[in-house]
Amino acid sequence: MKKVSVIIPCFNATKYLPKCFMSLVQQTIGIDQIELIFVDDASTDEDATWNMLQEFERAYPESIMILKLEENMRQGGARNVALQYATGEYIAFVDADDTIEECMLEKMYEKAEKENADMVQCNLYDIYPDRTRKIQLKPLDKTVIVEDKGEYADKYFSTCYHSYEICNKLIRRNFLEENNLKFCDTKKYFSEDLMFNLKMLSCLKKVCFISEPYYNYYQYETSHFHNVSNGER
């Protein structure tokens, strides 16, 4: 069994995929300990995205799975499909136009194992077109045993210590399966990440926060956030 399954939805993503891909295969945890599941979400680029994913699979056949959807299901739906195939001890989610620091999966996996946590969250860098970057979240290094869900929401979720993103989290796969946690339809909800975190919050028993920013969240005009807010992909 691999230590981590990483799920990466892709839609017309050839411009950004190579950089994302390199950040994934160069992880210090070792590519042999990672399962990368790329989902071509019915791209409309004449198979350019699919062809690139096939090249990735040929390069690392033991560590990469590629899936091709006939219907565009957007971020949430594509992730749900991939979750059915994931076999890693833990699950991580990365957007195709972002990158992760080379130590991210190793550091978060070690923390999850040490603390026996349901979920580990790291900080993020918001990276802008002019290459400036800003740490997104208030720093917090802490392991929290969740005894009162309302108290946890007030202290950590409403104050943005527990962020609304899913991409900066490593989640135990058994925890997701036991609680039947899935993403909602992105076509119906503005933020499937927020809805997923709300569902997850109601089930969490132990959470670890890492203040170090390991996820690089690029603020492109064509990013998922901008497109959804404009009523597009």
Side-chain angles (χ1 to χ4, degrees):
M1 180 187 296
K2 304 279 188 176
K3 291 181 178 179
V4 182
S5 293
V6 186
I7 293 172
I8 312 100
C10 309
F11 180 80
N12 297 352
T14 56
K15 181 178 179 180
Y16 308 109
L17 262 175
K19 185 163 64 172
C20 177
F21 171 72
M22 292 306 296
S23 78
L24 293 167
V25 299
Q26 293 177 348
Q27 289 293 296
T28 56
I29 198 173
I31 186 61
D32 60 319
Q33 298 299 322
I34 307 171
E35 176 182 58
L36 302 177
I37 306 177
F38 291 90
V39 186
D40 184 345
D41 190 16
S43 294
T44 58
D45 55 4
E46 300 181 340
D47 280 341
T49 293
W50 181 245
N51 290 338
M52 183 172 286
L53 295 182
Q54 288 181 308
E55 291 179 14
F56 294 167
E57 184 184 40
R58 284 192 290 269
Y60 296 93
E62 301 300 319
S63 298
I64 292 180
M65 176 186 297
I66 58 175
L67 305 171
K68 186 176 178 64
L69 305 183
E70 296 301 319
E71 176 186 354
N72 180 256
M73 300 180 70
R74 304 196 181 188
Q75 296 280 89
R79 289 168 177 164
N80 287 338
V81 171
L83 279 170
Q84 299 176 49
Y85 294 89
T87 61
E89 296 176 61
Y90 295 87
I91 305 293
F93 301 93
V94 174
D95 290 344
D97 54 358
D98 293 331
T99 63
I100 62 176
E101 296 295 312
E102 64 178 12
C103 65
M104 175 175 168
L105 298 181
E106 181 178 23
K107 294 291 188 182
M108 296 180 76
Y109 177 85
E110 288 177 348
K111 176 65 74 171
E113 286 288 280
K114 179 180 178 181
E115 300 293 341
N116 191 29
D118 299 320
M119 185 269 285
V120 177
Q121 174 189 286
C122 69
N123 216 321
L124 312 90
Y125 277 121
D126 287 331
I127 302 181
Y128 299 92
D130 63 0
R131 298 187 179 181
T132 59
R133 62 182 186 176
K134 179 181 178 181
I135 295 177
Q136 185 182 123
L137 305 174
K138 293 179 285 187
L140 181 65
D141 286 289
K142 189 174 184 180
T143 297
V144 179
I145 297 175
V146 185
E147 297 178 336
D148 185 309
K149 302 298 192 295
E151 180 181 345
Y152 177 87
D154 287 342
K155 190 171 183 179
Y156 298 100
F157 196 73
S158 63
T159 55
C160 294
Y161 282 110
H162 179 139
S163 72
Y164 299 168
E165 290 84 9
I166 197 66
C167 57
N168 62 332
K169 295 172 175 63
L170 186 72
I171 309 169
R172 191 182 299 273
R173 180 167 59 86
N174 288 346
F175 167 77
L176 293 175
E177 294 174 347
E178 289 167 3
N179 293 285
N180 194 31
L181 290 173
K182 298 179 181 178
F183 291 88
C184 63
D185 188 345
T186 315
K187 297 177 183 179
K188 295 181 180 180
Y189 296 92
F190 169 72
S191 174
E192 79 280 356
D193 281 14
L194 173 58
M195 296 299 294
F196 187 90
N197 272 285
L198 287 170
K199 293 178 184 178
M200 184 167 62
L201 190 153
S202 68
C203 309
L204 288 171
K205 294 180 180 178
K206 196 171 189 180
V207 180
C208 294
F209 294 97
I210 298 175
S211 63
E212 289 296 315
Y214 296 141
Y215 192 92
N216 299 312
Y217 183 32
Y218 288 83
Q219 304 297 308
Y220 302 115
E221 286 299 319
T222 55
S223 69
H224 172 65
F225 174 83
H226 290 294
N227 287 339
V228 170
S229 63
N230 289 329
E232 302 171 5
R233 162 75 175 84

